Amino acid sequence: MPFQPILIPVFVMVLLTFSVAIVMARRRFRFYREQRLHPQKTASRQDMNRLMEDNRAPDHFMNLFEMPVLFYLAVVIAMLTNSTSYWLLGLSWLYVLCRIAHAYIHCTYNNVFHRFKAFISSYFVLLVLWVVLIVDIVFI
């Protein structure tokens, strides 16, 4: 199977996920060091949320395993059915850009209104991506 350009947005999403994980780890290690806290004190998510005030990166890391799963599945289905049109490629890139904006907002200044706009944009782009995919498979 030759290389398919629709994989590039997938690779960027994977890179985003690893990047947020690195941000999360760096913030946690700094927190442990500054608080002189043994990591065992944060063995559960509840302990971590109770002790660590800044949970933006871990919250966003969990977000990256929610809606993006539907993006990954859509790309796999598109590839399996040879439905990787320019529309799907463009929507894939738009989805990834919305998710990057969402990650940046969530992990930095975390304005809820801005974050919601980025999230809802990615939501509707993903919805349209699925509609285009379904139409391509069922009707074309």
Side-chain angles (χ1 to χ4, degrees), residues 71-130:
F71 167 69
Y72 296 128
L73 179 61
V75 170
V76 168
I77 291 172
M79 290 178 61
L80 289 174
T81 59
N82 291 321
S83 300
T84 55
S85 67
Y86 287 116
W87 277 103
L88 288 175
L89 181 60
L91 288 166
S92 295
W93 274 114
L94 187 56
Y95 179 75
V96 170
L97 292 173
C98 289
R99 291 306 305 204
I100 290 170
H102 185 242
Y104 175 79
I105 294 164
H106 200 175
C107 291
T108 58
Y109 67 97
N110 200 21
N111 178 294
V112 174
F113 183 67
H114 295 166
R115 195 175 88 208
F116 178 74
K117 288 193 323 189
F119 170 79
I120 204 68
S121 297
S122 72
Y123 173 88
F124 283 115
V125 169
L126 186 60
L127 177 64
V128 171
L129 188 147
W130 270 97

